[in-house]
Amino acid sequence: MWVVFIATAVAQNKIPISSNDYSNNSIEMADAFRSNGKIYVVVGVIVALWAGMMVYLISTDKKISKLEKLLNN
């Protein structure tokens, strides 16, 4: 199985880098999202995920601190 994976990874064609690649400053996907107004949805989802993770971590930390206090007494 690994031999097939390695063989396909090695068999990839390399694309040469040109000077136009270094001077390209536009990101087409971001421009499309921005023009359609969907970039705010993407940013909102990312912020919601981070906020949810922070709330979960803080609540878990409080529970662990409470258990540590209970264990030490």
Side-chain angles (χ1 to χ4, degrees):
M1 180 172 152
W2 286 102
V3 175
V4 174
F5 176 73
I6 292 171
T8 56
V10 173
Q12 305 263 333
N13 294 332
K14 293 186 179 182
I15 300 172
I17 298 174
S18 65
S19 61
N20 292 336
D21 295 329
Y22 291 111
S23 63
N24 186 5
N25 292 328
S26 68
I27 302 171
E28 295 174 12
M29 182 181 65
D31 293 339
F33 277 143
R34 199 175 301 121
S35 67
N36 294 336
K38 293 180 182 177
I39 192 75
Y40 301 112
V41 175
V42 173
V43 171
V45 168
I46 291 171
V47 168
L49 287 173
W50 275 101
M53 285 190 290
M54 289 298 121
V55 167
Y56 174 74
L57 287 174
I58 290 170
S59 68
T60 304
D61 184 50
K62 286 182 181 181
K63 289 177 185 178
I64 290 173
S65 297
K66 187 177 178 182
L67 287 172
E68 286 176 342
K69 283 182 183 178
L70 205 88
L71 187 65
N72 288 335
N73 289 336

